[in-house]
Amino acid sequence: MGEEPEGPHKNMISGTARLYGPTVQARDVHGGIHVHTEMPSAAPPPPRQLLPVPAHFTGRCDDLAALEELFTGSGRDGTSRTLIVVSGPAGMGKTTLVCKWLRSLRSEFPDGQLYADLRGHSKGGPASPGEVLDQFLRALGAGAVPLDVAEKAALWRSWTADTRIAVVLDNAFTAAQVRPLLRAGPGGLTVVTSRRRLTGLRMDGAAFRRLEALGPAAGAELLTRAVGEDRIATEPHAARQVVALCAGLPLAVCLASARLASRPRQPVKALADALMRETERLAALEVEGEATVSKALDASYAVLSEGAALLYCRLGPLPVRTFDARTAAAACGESLAWAEARLDELVEANLIEDIGPDTCRFHDLVQIHAHGRAAAEETAAARDEALRRVCDWYLEATTEAEKRLTPAQFTLGRTLVHPAGLAVPFTDDLGALAWLDAQRMNLMAVVRAAAEREWNAMAWQLVDAMWPVFLRLRYYDLWIEAHQVGLEAARKDQNAEAERQMLNSGAIGLSAAGRIDDAAEWYSKSLRAARDAGDVRDEGQALLGIGTCHREAGRMAEAVPCLTEAITLWEGCGYPRGVALTRIVLGEVALAEDEPRRALEYFRQARVGLLAVNDPHDAARALVFLGRARARVGDYTAGVAAMEEALAVFVSSGAAHWQARALEMLGDSAWERGDTAAAVDFRARALALFEVTSPADARRLRDLSDQA
C-alpha cells in the first residue's frame, strides 16, 4: 500500500512564535512594505474544552471559595498558585467542581481552556504524556508534533510560555504522569484532579484541595433538585436515608435521583431499602465509601429495560473511549433507531454521559460496573461477539472512507464476520476525513484489541483501511504504532502480501517522521520478501521507497538506479500508476540537481499518467511540481497558474500538508522573481499550515524567512 513518496522531512521543534497571515520579521525596515493577500490565514479560536456542568449542581461553596483563594493568593499564606491539585474519592464530583469554577473565570483565560482525561484508573491504562501533548498542541494550532515526548513537552512549554490559559488534567494517576504536561510561564493555571493525593507535585509548587463528601443538607438539596420538592417532602426520612446511603458522593446521589425520576410512583423508601441490601461491589474500588456507588449502580441497572440493560453490558467491555449510536447498534446487532432509543435511556439514567453531538462516554466507575455486569450476565463468547461486531463496523466504515478519499489506492481484501449494514456517517470527502480524525483513537483501540485476541486478519485490515488517516492527517506516532501492530498481525496471519503491505505503508510513515534509516530497513525487508514471492508489483514499490529514502538523505546518485528499476518493473507488469509516482520522485531529484528542464518532462508524464488512472490527489502533486519547474525555467506565469490550480485541489480535499507545500513553492517562485510582498504572503500562509501538519517544515520555513 501507499505508493506515495513524500518530499524531504527534517527533524525539528517549532519555536514559540505563532504566525497567522502575512508576517514580516526584521530589525530595521526602510521604505514601505505592502502585503496583499486574497486568502488571509485567521488564527484558530481559543479552545474552550471544559466539560458541561449539570444544571442541578449544588453545594461546594466552601470548595469553590478555597479554589479561588488558592488562585488569587487571598488565603492565609498570600501566595497565588498556578498549579492546583483537587483530590478525593471516585464519584466525589472533582471534575464537575473544577469545570464549574473555571467556567466562571473564562475572562481570566483569553487564550483558552483545555481539558484532557488522563485515564488514571482506566482499564486500558493511563493516557501517555505524548498523547495528551499532541491533543493540546493541535487544539492551540500547533497540530502534528515531533514523535519524541521530550520534544513534544518542549514545544508545549514554548507555546504556552506567554499565554493565559487554563488546563484541566482530569483523572491523573501519578505526579510523573502530570509533569510533562505542565505549562510554562506565569500567566495561566493548571488544575489536576485525581483520586490520589499526588503529594509529589509539591516540589512543582502545587497547592492542594481535597474534596470531602457532601454534607446531609447539600446531598438532600441535590436529590431534591433532581426529583422535586413535593416528592421528597412526603418522605423526608426516606430521602435522608437515600442521601446517607450514598455517602455524600454526588455520583451516587445523581444515580439514585435518576432511578426515582424514572419511577415516579415508586416510594422513596423502596429505593432506600434497595440501597441497604448487599449487592455486588466494585471490588477494585472498594475504598472510601465507593462500595455505595456499586449499590447505586446496581439499583439503577436493575430498573433498566431489557434492551438498555443489554446495551449497557455490551458497551462496558469495549476498548473505545467514546461511542455513538452506530457503535451501539453494531455491538448489539440492532438497528440505528433501536440503539438511539436505548442510549437515550442510559443517558437519562445517568449511566452514560452525553458529551457532544452523537458522542457518549462512561464515567470510569460506571464502566467498571458495566464490565462487571457483562462478565456476570454474558458468556465470554457473547462478549467477544460484541467486540467483533464493533471491529467489523469500524472496518466497514473506515474502508468506505478510504475508497472515497484514496480511490486509486491499491488495497487488499476485507473479511467481515458480522456486517453491520449501517449507513456511514459521512457523505463527502471532507466529512469522511473529519470522521476518521474524530475516530482515530477508537480505531487504534480496536486495532490493539483485535491483535490481543489474535484476530490477525482484522488487525492488519483495519490498519490498511486507516491509510487516509496517516496520509492526510499525519499522526506520525499513530502511523508507526499501527503498522508495527499490523505487521505482526500479518505475519501471524501468514499473509505474505499483507506483510509487504504493512512494510511499505509503514515505511512511508517512518520516512515522513524523519526516521529515514528505519524506513529504508522496512523497505529492504519488503524488497526481499517481494523477490522471494515473485511479486513484481511489490518489488517495484519497495524500490520506489528505497529510492525515495536515498533522495531524502541527499544521495541522488544512489536514488536514480532504484527509481529507474522500479519504472522498468512496473512498465513490464502493467502498473501505470506506480510508473507515474516514480516519475514524480525522479523529477524531484532533477530539481535538487538544478536541472528543471529535465524535471519538467518527468512531472508532465507523471501528471498525464495519474489523471489516466483517476488519482486526483497525486495528479495535483505532479502538477504543483510541474508548476514549480516551469517557474524555475523562467515561465513564471504558467508556473504560478499550475501551482495555484494544484493548491485549489488540495484545499477542496482537506490535504493541509500539501496546501502548505504548494504555498511554499509559490513563495519560493515569487522570491526568485523579486516579488518580495507575494513571497512573504505565500510563506506566511504556508507557515500557518505547517504549524498544523509538520513542525519540522514550520521551523525550516521560519529559518528560511529569517535568513531572507
Side-chain angles (χ1 to χ4, degrees):
M1 167 187 272
E3 294 91 340
E4 182 200 36
E6 296 292 339
H9 299 272
K10 302 177 177 61
N11 290 324
M12 50 72 68
I13 302 176
S14 299
T16 60
R18 276 163 289 172
L19 308 177
Y20 303 97
T23 303
V24 177
Q25 178 174 340
R27 188 175 70 89
D28 296 314
V29 176
H30 301 282
I33 293 181
H34 302 278
V35 178
H36 303 279
T37 175
E38 296 178 1
M39 297 175 60
S41 300
R48 301 293 175 186
Q49 299 180 343
L50 298 180
L51 298 183
V53 178
H56 54 257
F57 178 88
T58 189
R60 299 299 189 194
C61 294
D62 290 345
D63 294 303
L64 290 169
L67 292 175
E68 189 68 20
E69 288 181 0
L70 291 173
F71 177 54
T72 62
S74 59
R76 283 178 295 179
D77 66 0
T79 302
S80 61
R81 304 302 180 104
T82 60
L83 174 61
I84 298 173
V85 177
V86 178
S87 63
M92 194 59 72
K94 301 179 291 293
T95 304
T96 301
L97 172 72
V98 168
C99 290
K100 172 73 173 179
W101 175 53
L102 288 177
R103 280 180 176 276
S104 70
L105 300 177
R106 178 185 175 113
S107 62
E108 294 283 340
F109 306 107
D111 296 317
Q113 294 168 310
L114 298 171
Y115 170 90
D117 183 358
L118 302 191
R119 308 195 307 276
H121 297 271
S122 168
K123 62 183 174 65
S128 68
E131 173 187 329
V132 177
L133 288 169
D134 196 56
Q135 171 188 328
F136 281 171
L137 286 164
R138 283 181 176 272
L140 292 174
V145 296
L147 285 173
D148 182 72
V149 174
E151 291 185 348
K152 290 182 181 182
L155 182 58
W156 165 244
R157 292 192 297 272
S158 295
W159 271 71
T160 57
D162 300 313
T163 58
R164 292 169 59 194
I165 61 171
V167 178
V168 177
L169 303 176
D170 199 14
N171 291 321
F173 190 64
T174 64
Q177 186 189 21
V178 169
R179 284 197 181 96
L181 308 176
L182 296 180
R183 45 171 304 284
L189 173 66
T190 300
V191 184
V192 182
T193 75
S194 179
R195 296 178 195 173
R196 300 187 173 200
R197 294 179 183 268
L198 301 186
T199 54
L201 289 176
R202 288 191 186 279
M203 68 177 65
D204 300 284
F208 296 83
R209 179 68 180 180
R210 177 172 171 79
L211 293 195
E212 303 295 342
L214 290 174
E221 183 181 357
L222 179 58
L223 185 68
T224 300
R225 287 190 178 188
V227 177
E229 291 184 3
D230 292 343
R231 191 171 179 191
I232 297 302
T234 61
E235 296 182 82
H237 177 69
R240 287 194 295 271
Q241 276 188 304
V242 169
V243 172
L245 289 166
C246 289
L249 293 174
L251 173 62
V253 176
C254 289
L255 291 167
S257 302
R259 179 181 176 182
L260 288 172
S262 68
R263 302 187 68 175
R265 290 185 295 275
Q266 182 188 62
V268 179
K269 187 178 184 303
L271 176 57
D273 292 341
L275 290 175
M276 284 190 288
R277 288 194 294 269
E278 286 297 322
T279 57
E280 179 184 286
R281 297 172 182 265
L282 296 174
L285 297 170
E286 198 170 334
V287 292
E288 297 186 54
E290 288 164 351
T292 301
V293 177
S294 180
K295 291 181 179 180
L297 288 167
D298 281 338
S300 295
Y301 175 75
V303 298
L304 291 174
S305 69
E306 182 180 352
L310 172 66
L311 180 57
Y312 185 73
C313 290
R314 292 290 172 87
L315 292 175
L318 294 181
V320 297
R321 298 183 192 174
T322 61
F323 43 86
D324 57 14
R326 288 177 175 82
T327 307
C332 297
E334 296 284 355
S335 70
L336 186 60
W338 181 95
E340 288 172 341
R342 303 295 87 74
L343 282 175
D344 286 344
E345 185 177 345
L346 293 176
V347 170
E348 190 68 24
N350 283 331
L351 287 171
I352 61 173
E353 298 175 271
D354 185 355
I355 61 172
D358 197 27
T359 305
C360 299
R361 72 173 185 183
F362 278 112
H363 182 286
D364 49 6
L365 279 184
V366 180
Q367 184 164 23
I368 291 170
H369 180 268
H371 195 288
R373 299 317 308 163
E377 299 184 17
E378 298 221 294
T379 64
R383 297 194 300 275
D384 277 352
E385 179 182 320
L387 175 59
R388 180 63 194 230
R389 286 180 178 276
V390 170
C391 289
D392 281 342
W393 156 243
Y394 271 112
L395 181 57
E396 283 183 87
T398 307
T399 298
E400 288 303 309
E402 179 188 31
K403 289 178 181 177
R404 176 176 288 278
L405 292 166
T406 54
Q409 183 67 49
F410 172 74
T411 58
L412 297 175
R414 303 287 185 252
T415 306
L416 297 172
V417 178
H418 304 287
L422 298 168
V424 294
F426 45 81
T427 57
D428 56 24
D429 288 8
L430 290 178
L433 194 62
W435 183 84
L436 288 172
D437 194 10
Q439 295 293 327
R440 68 186 185 280
M441 300 310 298
N442 285 341
L443 284 166
M444 287 299 301
V446 295
V447 166
R448 298 181 192 111
E452 288 170 3
R453 284 161 179 77
E454 297 200 342
W455 299 341
N456 295 313
M458 170 59 68
W460 67 255
Q461 287 174 26
L462 277 165
V463 175
D464 192 39
M466 289 173 67
W467 178 242
V469 177
F470 311 128
L471 177 67
R472 298 286 180 87
L473 301 175
R474 297 179 177 270
Y475 293 103
Y476 298 133
D477 44 359
L478 297 185
W479 190 337
I480 294 167
E481 181 196 352
H483 284 85
Q484 289 170 335
V485 174
L487 177 60
E488 181 65 20
R491 287 171 174 165
K492 289 181 178 179
D493 195 36
Q494 297 183 346
N495 189 317
E497 189 175 19
E499 182 179 345
R500 297 194 298 275
Q501 188 96 319
M502 294 296 99
L503 284 168
N504 287 328
S505 51
I508 293 174
L510 289 165
S511 177
R515 294 170 54 178
I516 304 301
D517 292 340
D518 291 334
E521 181 182 351
W522 279 46
Y523 280 129
S524 296
K525 290 178 180 178
S526 176
L527 179 61
R528 290 193 295 271
R531 286 173 172 168
D532 289 343
D535 190 323
V536 175
R537 178 167 169 154
D538 271 4
E539 184 180 355
Q541 172 65 66
L543 286 165
L544 169 59
I546 293 170
T548 301
C549 287
H550 285 314
R551 180 190 60 76
E552 291 179 348
R555 298 185 294 264
M556 304 303 169
E558 296 175 61
V560 171
C562 295
L563 299 170
T564 303
E565 186 178 356
I567 286 179
T568 300
L569 290 171
W570 277 337
E571 286 179 335
C573 72
Y575 182 42
R577 180 171 182 265
V579 172
L581 291 171
T582 308
R583 283 175 174 152
I584 292 179
V585 185
L586 284 168
E588 291 183 84
V589 170
L591 281 181
E593 294 179 335
D594 200 22
E595 296 184 27
R597 294 192 180 279
R598 181 162 60 94
L600 273 172
E601 185 58 21
Y602 283 129
F603 294 137
R604 187 193 64 76
Q605 292 179 2
R607 175 165 169 75
V608 170
L610 291 164
L611 288 173
V613 297
N614 189 28
D615 185 351
H617 173 76
D618 288 309
R621 291 199 308 116
L623 179 60
V624 76
F625 282 120
L626 178 63
R628 177 67 179 128
R630 283 175 174 166
R632 288 274 299 273
V633 299
D635 191 358
Y636 182 77
T637 300
V640 168
M643 287 184 277
E644 289 182 339
E645 181 182 346
L647 175 61
V649 175
F650 298 138
V651 169
S652 66
S653 68
H657 177 78
W658 279 96
Q659 292 175 46
R661 292 286 302 274
L663 287 165
E664 182 181 1
M665 292 184 204
L666 283 163
D668 291 345
S669 300
W671 185 266
E672 291 164 359
R673 188 175 173 83
D675 190 346
T676 305
V680 169
D681 173 30
F682 286 129
R683 288 177 175 177
R685 291 162 60 191
L687 179 60
L689 288 165
F690 275 140
E691 296 282 13
V692 176
T693 63
S694 177
D697 285 316
R699 191 173 82 172
R700 174 183 55 75
L701 189 55
R702 191 180 296 110
D703 291 344
L704 180 64
S705 298
D706 290 344
Q707 293 169 7

